[in-house]
């Protein structure tokens, strides 16, 4: 059993999200940085899709009732019984009854705790993820609180992978501006060439009004030829919407499945996690790629994870 001693802000149970439900208006949800969660799971011998704890903007403190193997991803320091125990990417075995504090990296937004066996909460529509806007999934459909107790779910395998600490601990952001690769959106032609040039040549910054539903970016106004509002149509995570003020909103895993703003571009799937890890004020730019380049990147990441799971990494 895992006892939450100090629940960090925005701490929830997440896995890789809901595999179905878009036809009912349910977004995929799941981990904001699925690569980090999968690496953490593989490091402790879980299936990659096992549920873990995701949190943001502060330390998390837990205690295990029995000896437990865990991985701390995007964590600067681990303190056990208030003594330094390790650094980011740590994979270790925690003794029972000892408070463990997980302190996030300063330039990372979301951190993860993966535990041997995964977190056991009821499966809803094929996922253990928490969907906060709907108030269901995860642990009672809400953020974790002090005193919450979570069981492990038996999602382990017979293999424990020795992964590179950097793979488990890093968010891959570096120290410079983050470049997000995008493909053309469905309303590409509604933006004049000058607006497209402005979009790709400008630096935007992550606004504080950003969350699991959408990240707002501040910068020059990128405007279509005509009024921004359109009849509602399907939308997906990564869609870059341009409302009337011309400030981009990038839809995230909990974002709406329909929207009425024109979508100039779509952040490719493997880069959306990089935006998710950006703190407020972080500069970002956009770079256009083809659909084939986006697919090739996704295939390469999937192959790398598959090799790690098979013990080839």
């Amino acid at each position: 059993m895992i006892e939450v001693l100090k629940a960090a802000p925005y701490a929830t149970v997440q896995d890789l999200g809901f595999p179905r439900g878009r036809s009912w208006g349910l977004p995929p949800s799941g981990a904001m940085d699925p690569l980090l969660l999968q690496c953490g799971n593989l490091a402790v011998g879980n299936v990659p899709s096992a549920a873990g704890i995701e949190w943001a903007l502060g330390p998390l403190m837990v205690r295990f009732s029995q000896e437990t193997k865990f991985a701390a991803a995007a964590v600067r320091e681990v303190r056990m019984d208030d003594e330094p125990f390790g650094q980011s990417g740590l994979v270790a075995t925690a003794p029972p009854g000892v408070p463990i504090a997980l302190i996030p990296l300063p330039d990372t937004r979301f951190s993860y705790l993966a535990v041997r066996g995964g977190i056991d909460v009821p499966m809803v529509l094929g996922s253990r993820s928490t969907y906060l806007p709907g108030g269901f999934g995860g642990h009672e459909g809400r953020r974790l609180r002090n005193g919450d107790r979570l069981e492990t779910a038996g999602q382990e395998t017979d293999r424990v992978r020795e992964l590179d600490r950097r793979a488990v601990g890093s968010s891959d952001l570096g120290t410079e501006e983050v470049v997000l690769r995008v493909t053309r959106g469905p309303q590409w032609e509604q933006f004049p060439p000058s607006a497209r040039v402005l979009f790709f040549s400008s630096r935007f910054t992550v606004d504080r009004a950003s969350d699991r539903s959408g990240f707002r970016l501040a910068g020059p106004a990128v405007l279509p030829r005509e009024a921004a509002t359109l009849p509602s149509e399907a939308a997906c995570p990564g869609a870059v919407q341009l409302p009337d003020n011309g400030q981009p909103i990038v839809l995230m895993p909990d974002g709406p499945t329909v929207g009425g703003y024109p979508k100039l571009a779509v952040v490719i799937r493997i880069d959306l996690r990089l935006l998710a890890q950006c703190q407020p004020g972080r500069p970002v730019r956009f770079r256009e790629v083809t659909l084939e380049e986006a697919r090739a990147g996704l295939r390469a990441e999937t192959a790398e994870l598959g090799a790690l799971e098979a013990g080839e990494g």
Side-chain angles (χ1 to χ4, degrees), residues 19-37:
R20 56 187 180 274
R22 291 193 65 83
S23 61
W24 311 324
L26 177 65
S29 194
M32 292 285 276
D33 191 334
L35 182 61
L36 278 191
L37 177 60

Side-chain angles (χ1 to χ4, degrees), residues 2 70 118 144 191 289:
I2 307 163
F70 73 93
L144 296 176
F191 290 83
V289 296

Side-chain angles (χ1 to χ4, degrees), residues 10 109 205-218 248-250 252 279-281:
Y10 306 104
R109 192 171 186 126
T205 57
V206 176
D207 192 90
R208 290 189 175 276
S210 299
D211 55 26
R212 286 184 51 89
S213 293
F215 268 42
R216 295 178 179 270
L217 306 179
I249 302 173
V250 182
M252 302 304 280
Q279 295 277 17

Side-chain angles (χ1 to χ4, degrees), residues 2 12-16 37 41 46-54 113-121 123 127-129 138 151-153 155:
I2 307 163
T12 57
V13 175
Q14 299 290 346
D15 59 16
L16 298 184
L37 177 60
N41 276 324
N46 292 342
V47 297
S49 58
I53 296 177
E54 172 188 277
L113 173 64
V115 298
R116 175 78 169 164
I119 303 296
D120 187 15
V121 292
M123 293 280 285
S127 174
R128 290 183 168 88
S129 287
E151 300 285 353
T152 55
Q155 300 169 82

Side-chain angles (χ1 to χ4, degrees), residues 22 182-188 190-191 199 204 213-224 228-252 254-267 272 275 286:
R22 291 193 65 83
V182 300
T183 57
R184 296 184 179 186
Q187 281 78 46
W188 173 268
Q190 294 188 20
F191 290 83
F199 178 74
F204 298 87
S213 293
F215 268 42
R216 295 178 179 270
L217 306 179
V222 180
L223 298 172
T229 304
L230 302 169
S232 289
E233 63 174 15
C236 65
V240 183
Q241 295 187 331
L242 275 302
D244 292 334
N245 63 5
Q247 302 296 289
I249 302 173
V250 182
L251 299 186
M252 302 304 280
D254 279 358
T257 57
V258 295
Y261 293 128
K263 295 171 283 294
L264 172 61
V266 180
V267 178
L272 194 59
L275 176 60
F286 296 100

Side-chain angles (χ1 to χ4, degrees), residues 95-115:
V98 177
I100 298 174
L102 308 170
I103 302 166
L105 291 167
D107 60 349
T108 296
R109 192 171 186 126
F110 290 95
S111 301
Y112 294 87
L113 173 64
V115 298

